[in-house]
Amino acid sequence: MLRWTNCKNFIKFGGFILASVCAWYLGTILAYLIPQASTFDQLLPDKPKIYMPAPKRQKCDHWSPCSPGNYAYRMLSGGGKERFPKICFEDKLLISEQDGNAGRGINIAIVDYKTGKVAATNYFDMWEGEFSGPMTDFISEAPQKSLIFMVTHDDGSTKLKQDSKKAIAELGSEEIWNLKFRSGWVFLAAKGFKLPKNIQKEKIIHSDNSKNRYNGWPAEIQIEGCIPRNLTS
């Protein structure tokens, strides 16, 4: 009786081993035959994908857009000798190195306020030559209802005459009298009407060897903002 029990247990054990081997073999074949696309994870419903839209670029690289009915502007002074100034208006560069119309001295762009179209651009060297007078004429010839943008590059003061400073001061500049050798200066003026008091119109920075970003020149400075299109006076 004991012998028969042992024999029966041996047969059961052998059957278990055989079943295990068959199951392993069958699993191996199925894993080979079934494509990866049928894995359990891929049979589950797709998870919803969240896409973050890229930030929309604003006019003149503003952080936030101007309200409808406003002009966007941004003015950047030059930095050292190599970094040229920029004047941007309604997302168009009026003065820039790329356009080849920026240079040493005082850079000026005149815009028709009513149409938003550029009327004239020029730069006046205040280190070599005598261009203070021509610059004053250029400003005085700007039509009424004009926006006048002015930025310095390199040096804008050495040959700047008093009558030119007076003409710029009459446009509303308070810092023109403080312009020094290699000062960085940006100024927005309106001829024939007044700009709102709450927008940026002027900024200045002076050369200081203990603080200068460049060797002998201060860092660039900028102003930007929005100009209402419906100003009447």
Side-chain angles (χ1 to χ4, degrees), residues 140-152:
S140 65
E141 291 168 4
Q144 293 294 308
K145 295 289 185 177
S146 290
L147 293 166
I148 303 176
F149 301 86
M150 307 179 73
V151 295
T152 56

Side-chain angles (χ1 to χ4, degrees), residues 170-184:
E170 288 175 351
L171 290 172
S173 172
E174 297 179 357
E175 298 291 355
I176 190 62
W177 302 108
N178 300 321
L179 201 63
K180 300 176 183 178
F181 177 62
R182 290 182 177 175
S183 294

Side-chain angles (χ1 to χ4, degrees), residues 149-190:
F149 301 86
M150 307 179 73
V151 295
T152 56
H153 175 54
D154 191 347
D155 175 55
S157 69
T158 298
K159 292 198 172 185
L160 182 64
K161 306 300 183 184
Q162 289 297 108
D163 57 342
S164 296
K165 291 182 179 181
K166 183 179 178 182
I168 296 171
E170 288 175 351
L171 290 172
S173 172
E174 297 179 357
E175 298 291 355
I176 190 62
W177 302 108
N178 300 321
L179 201 63
K180 300 176 183 178
F181 177 62
R182 290 182 177 175
S183 294
W185 173 68
V186 292
F187 174 55
L188 165 62

